[in-house]
Amino acid sequence: QVQLVESGGGLVQAGGSLRLSCAASGRTFGDYAMAWFRQAPGKEREFVAGITRSGDFTHYRDSVKGRFTIFRENAKNTVYLQMNSLKPEDTAVYYCAGDKNLDYSDFDSIAYWGKGTLVNVSS
């Protein structure tokens, strides 16, 4: 079993930055690909960014490319999402997720989820 706990959300003005953290416990963190998803009010959950087990490869949704960076520190069992140049449309609850074979397009197949952290970007 893997437990994921997100932190770092909050209220920020448009153009500002936030860094989200996701701390993992339970199993060997390095065995799991990790990703961030988000869900805005009244909208479906969507993929934001993903990273391989070693951290060598990353993947982003188009709307955050160049603004968001996902990275991980396996020695600290933590994955991060650095968010710069935030926009009001980035407002959402952000979720951390992990799986040994993580399919970004199949949410139901992902084994482990955190409870989320709210990011609110004011205009």
Side-chain angles (χ1 to χ4, degrees):
Q1 193 75 7
V2 174
Q3 293 81 41
L4 302 175
V5 179
E6 303 95 335
S7 61
L11 176 63
V12 63
Q13 288 188 332
S17 298
L18 282 176
R19 177 177 290 185
L20 305 183
S21 299
C22 173
S25 62
R27 294 276 182 94
T28 304
F29 182 65
D31 288 347
Y32 294 84
M34 301 297 296
W36 288 92
F37 295 79
R38 67 186 181 187
Q39 187 166 16
K43 296 187 177 181
E44 294 185 349
R45 190 170 298 192
E46 62 184 19
F47 167 77
V48 177
I51 189 167
T52 55
R53 302 173 193 182
S54 64
D56 288 348
F57 296 98
T58 57
H59 183 59
Y60 300 91
R61 70 178 300 104
D62 287 346
S63 62
V64 307
K65 285 180 180 177
R67 300 189 298 122
F68 290 11
T69 302
I70 185 171
F71 61 101
R72 64 191 296 164
E73 293 185 284
N74 286 349
K76 294 184 178 181
N77 284 7
T78 303
V79 61
Y80 305 90
L81 186 67
Q82 177 67 42
M83 305 186 295
N84 300 328
S85 302
L86 282 161
K87 304 176 180 180
E89 51 264 42
D90 294 319
T91 294
V93 177
Y94 283 71
Y95 298 90
C96 173
D99 206 322
K100 289 190 175 183
N101 295 292
L102 204 157
D103 183 345
Y104 304 144
S105 63
D106 186 358
F107 301 163
D108 291 337
S109 72
I110 298 173
Y112 303 107
W113 290 87
K115 294 184 177 180
T117 185
L118 176 62
V119 172
N120 193 341
V121 184
S122 63
S123 57

